[in-house]
Amino acid sequence: DYYDDHTDNYLQINNQLIINHRLSDAWTLSAMGFYTYGYGFYKQYKAERSLVEYMNMGIADYGVEADMIRRKVMRNHTTGLNASVGYNSERLSLLFGGFYSFYTCPHWGELDWVDGYSTEQIAGRWYDNDVDKQDANIFVKAMWKPAKGLSISADVQYRYVDYKAWGVNDNFDWETMQMQPIDVDKQYHFLNPQVGVTYSFNDKNKLFASVAVAHKEPTRSDFTDRYMFADDQTQPSAERLLDYELGYEYASKRLALGVNLYYMRYKNQLIPTGMVNDSSDALNVNVPDSYRLGAEFTAAWNITNWLTLGGNATLSRNKILDYVDLLADSPTYGDNLGTMTIAYSPDVVASAYLDLHARGFEAVLRTQHVGKQYFTNNEVEALSLDAYTVTNLDLAYTLKTRSAKSVRFGVTIYNLLNASYCSNGYGYSYMWDGVRYDEAYYFPQAPLHALANVTVKF
């Protein structure tokens, strides 16, 4: 409330060169070269900060404090190439391709103002680190139709990731009296295969099944912010997913129905701990064995040409098997808590809508329900989000003019029923003088409010 310049500022410039060429009736070539430049910063007012944390000032006495305005800055460059060659015939489609990108992003901090000190005394960077990431893959995809109504798809991708980060982070270590060092040099080799089968009984009924393997490497914050909860110097691991899916779809002129069953088994899944860093980004931890099991339902009914009723729902179980709490300050540190629910994973997510559209006018009433969620992975009631239901209303009218293809006037009324709810939050537990404390922080959402817009198409 007392510092108006605490804002996020980010500029991104995207450059792309795209080539599409038909080599013959069956073969096509596509390629895209790209370069993206980004620059961003935000400033913060900090009161009574210990100046020993700001290494550029050269102050050794931790008792010296002052108010300040500090700036955190990043500048990134991304360049690469994405190319593929495709073949299409009546029964067979093939796609061969590859991708390469190089990303670099230095992060640093500067002091704009420190009470009682001159510009020369606060010059320089109080932390400085850099990141280089190379991401490359080659793949082949195939779609084969051996018989009427039957199609078989398969693809395999090899992906290589080289990730390096070095320098010092913005965290001051009071034990070493130095900034937190960053030293990451990791390479990943991933093989991601997938196979699927679809059978169409007729124009209205379709059955499909698939199995796939996928991998994901840790993010920058998974490396740099691990110190906030880990009791050792280990680094995060990549996660592996084995995904099974089975589904059915029905579609007619008036009615569309769908159901999809899935079972996702993970090794070393990176899941939220419930804690956040100084920028309110979630802190993640690996768990050796976990799964997500569920069913997804969709439905849409065209009651008339101008009225549609629809909705979707997901019912799921999201569990960690033999969860061992490895958060250093947790009251249950080192304990095997058995089967626990994965943080931020509600058992029920559902929505419904009613869409009225006629002669340029459209009104869509949408209601969403999200079930109860836990912040953390040990199912503490004090660290949870209550289930909530919220309704929005979209109103729009589109007209055509001589000077524009169309002009659309719209207004969205959010939280139409003025519900009081929190859609997110974070928290953690700790012990102090033999007493357990559960700290929970919530993000309450706005009451009824509206957003108007005008869209012009030429």
Side-chain angles (χ1 to χ4, degrees):
D1 291 337
Y2 54 83
Y3 181 59
D4 293 335
D5 208 17
H6 189 157
T7 58
D8 286 321
N9 305 271
Y10 191 73
L11 166 72
Q12 188 175 80
I13 301 174
N14 295 283
N15 306 275
Q16 298 177 344
L17 177 63
I18 302 171
I19 299 173
N20 293 309
H21 182 62
R22 178 169 292 279
L23 303 172
S24 68
D25 290 341
W27 291 90
T28 58
L29 170 68
S30 297
M32 180 181 71
F34 58 90
Y35 167 69
T36 300
Y37 169 81
Y39 174 78
F41 68 91
Y42 65 90
K43 295 196 289 186
Q44 297 172 309
Y45 185 99
K46 293 292 183 179
E48 299 179 350
R49 295 290 297 193
S50 178
L51 299 187
V52 72
E53 300 181 46
Y54 299 87
M55 306 296 292
N56 58 304
M57 296 186 65
I59 295 176
D61 185 354
Y62 65 85
V64 179
E65 298 179 343
D67 296 348
M68 65 173 59
I69 297 173
R70 67 186 194 183
R71 180 197 301 254
K72 292 186 175 182
V73 191
M74 64 180 292
R75 187 191 308 275
N76 51 59
H77 305 269
T78 308
T79 187
L81 175 67
N82 191 3
S84 63
V85 176
Y87 170 82
N88 284 283
S89 66
E90 185 177 351
R91 290 186 175 273
L92 180 65
S93 298
L94 296 172
L95 186 67
F96 308 89
F99 170 86
Y100 173 80
S101 71
F102 176 76
Y103 170 82
T104 181
C105 183
H107 299 69
W108 70 90
E110 301 170 346
L111 298 176
D112 280 11
W113 169 82
V114 179
D115 191 18
Y117 291 82
S118 67
T119 302
E120 291 75 17
Q121 290 174 300
I122 66 174
R125 299 178 176 183
W126 54 279
Y127 74 92
D128 194 352
N129 62 76
D130 210 336
V131 172
D132 283 354
K133 182 178 182 180
Q134 297 185 70
D135 191 341
N137 70 69
I138 55 174
F139 67 88
V140 58
K141 296 182 179 182
M143 175 72 76
W144 180 40
K145 299 178 180 179
K148 182 180 179 180
L150 177 65
S151 63
I152 301 172
S153 65
D155 64 77
V156 61
Q157 178 203 64
Y158 165 73
R159 181 167 175 247
Y160 169 76
V161 178
D162 180 272
Y163 185 87
K164 293 181 173 65
W166 64 95
V168 294
N169 206 12
D170 58 346
N171 171 60
F172 186 78
D173 188 335
W174 286 94
E175 293 184 2
T176 64
M177 298 299 287
Q178 298 290 327
M179 306 303 291
Q180 174 203 3
I182 297 177
D183 184 15
V184 181
D185 189 354
K186 302 287 287 186
Q187 291 77 41
Y188 302 95
H189 301 269
F190 299 140
L191 189 65
N192 301 316
Q194 181 269 345
V195 62
V197 178
T198 300
Y199 183 70
S200 299
F201 298 94
N202 48 45
D203 293 339
K204 297 180 179 180
N205 296 275
K206 181 170 67 176
L207 184 68
F208 56 88
S210 69
V211 59
V213 176
H215 297 81
K216 187 176 75 172
E217 72 278 11
T219 66
R220 178 183 184 275
S221 62
D222 292 330
F223 287 104
T224 60
D225 295 331
R226 187 176 173 84
Y227 76 92
M228 298 183 71
F229 63 83
D231 66 341
D232 53 34
Q233 299 300 315
T234 59
Q235 293 184 339
S237 302
E239 68 177 31
R240 185 189 70 188
L241 163 65
L242 182 57
D243 178 37
Y244 302 91
E245 301 202 18
L246 175 65
Y248 167 78
E249 291 181 359
Y250 170 84
S252 66
K253 184 178 179 180
R254 291 288 187 186
L255 182 65
L257 301 171
V259 59
N260 184 55
L261 309 177
Y262 65 88
Y263 176 63
M264 307 166 74
R265 192 63 181 261
Y266 292 87
K267 179 180 179 181
N268 292 325
Q269 183 180 181
L270 282 161
I271 61 173
T273 62
M275 303 170 65
V276 297
N277 64 14
D278 292 341
S279 301
S280 297
D281 299 318
L283 301 182
N284 300 315
V285 65
N286 290 113
V287 292
D289 196 3
S290 59
Y291 72 86
R292 298 180 185 272
L293 170 68
E296 301 169 318
F297 304 92
T298 60
W301 177 28
N302 295 319
I303 303 172
T304 68
N305 292 333
W306 48 269
L307 186 63
T308 301
L309 175 66
N312 60 74
T314 299
L315 309 178
S316 64
R317 287 175 56 85
N318 310 279
K319 299 293 184 179
I320 309 167
L321 302 177
D322 294 321
Y323 175 56
V324 178
D325 188 352
L326 295 178
L327 306 185
D329 296 326
S330 172
T332 55
Y333 172 75
D335 293 347
N336 188 327
L337 303 180
T339 300
M340 291 283 112
T341 300
I342 299 173
Y344 303 100
S345 299
D347 291 341
V348 179
V349 177
S351 67
Y353 70 88
L354 184 66
D355 184 350
L356 186 154
H357 43 275
R359 296 183 178 180
F361 174 76
E362 185 174 17
V364 183
L365 185 68
R366 303 178 189 273
T367 296
Q368 182 185 35
H369 174 79
V370 178
K372 179 180 178 179
Q373 305 172 65
Y374 292 101
F375 297 160
T376 64
N377 298 294
N378 46 8
E379 298 185 5
V380 178
E381 291 298 322
L383 302 175
S384 64
L385 281 168
D386 292 335
Y388 64 88
T389 302
V390 62
T391 299
N392 302 325
L393 176 63
D394 291 308
L395 299 172
Y397 183 75
T398 302
L399 56 86
K400 295 182 179 180
T401 67
R402 292 182 178 180
S403 56
K405 184 177 180 180
S406 66
V407 179
R408 182 181 184 273
F409 300 92
V411 61
T412 300
I413 304 173
Y414 296 97
N415 198 358
L416 180 67
L417 303 181
N418 207 33
S420 297
Y421 71 102
C422 294
S423 65
N424 205 347
Y426 64 95
Y428 51 89
S429 303
Y430 62 94
M431 299 293 292
W432 184 263
D433 287 339
V435 179
R436 176 185 175 124
Y437 293 88
D438 297 312
E439 297 279 355
Y441 303 86
Y442 297 90
F443 296 97
Q445 298 304 295
L448 185 149
H449 59 290
L451 176 67
N453 61 83
V454 178
T455 304
V456 181
K457 291 185 179 181
F458 296 98

